[in-house]
Amino acid sequence: MTSLIDVIFLLLLFFMLSSTFSRFAEVELHSAGTGPAAAPAPETLLFLRLTPGGATLNGQAARPDEIALRVQDPAEATLLISVTEGVTAQALTDVLVAVSRIEGLRFTVLEGA
């Protein structure tokens, strides 16, 4: 019985010391709501396409850290993000973190694109 308690204690210590309890990053996402259609405000639409080979912004290759440099007026722009099959969750998260840092930019992840 004593050796069983020792093994359980060692396993408990192992799992406590090998796990982490902190969050590495947090990306806030909002669900798109439905409502009456309003007259669209004049805005610039940007299209970001994520593929397993990389990303393109309006047809030109772009890394996630370059997106902020290419957006002229974030308050007047909306970014549409299309994710193709085979894109990893980490690649999408990297893009969402980079996009969420741009002040005033609205973005939408397209479903089933």
Side-chain angles (χ1 to χ4, degrees):
M1 189 67 159
T2 304
S3 62
L4 180 64
I5 292 173
D6 288 342
V7 170
I8 292 173
F9 180 69
L10 288 174
L11 286 174
L12 180 67
L13 280 176
F14 171 76
F15 287 118
M16 285 178 55
L17 295 175
S18 64
S19 63
T20 180
F21 299 105
S22 63
R23 293 183 183 168
F24 293 110
E26 189 172 299
V27 178
E28 188 173 325
L29 295 176
H30 300 284
S31 175
T34 59
E43 60 184 25
T44 304
L45 286 177
L46 304 169
F47 186 73
L48 180 70
R49 182 178 173 96
L50 288 176
T51 62
T56 58
L57 180 63
N58 289 341
Q60 297 178 347
R63 293 189 326 260
D65 56 344
E66 294 176 338
I67 296 170
L69 301 174
R70 295 199 186 174
V71 177
Q72 302 295 330
D73 188 9
E76 297 280 329
T78 297
L79 179 67
L80 301 175
I81 302 172
S82 172
V83 183
T84 61
E85 188 174 332
V87 174
T88 63
Q90 184 62 50
L92 177 60
T93 303
D94 291 342
V95 168
L96 291 177
V97 167
V99 167
S100 65
R101 291 183 183 148
I102 303 172
E103 290 291 326
L105 180 67
R106 294 180 304 275
F107 63 91
T108 302
V109 178
L110 300 176
E111 181 180 349

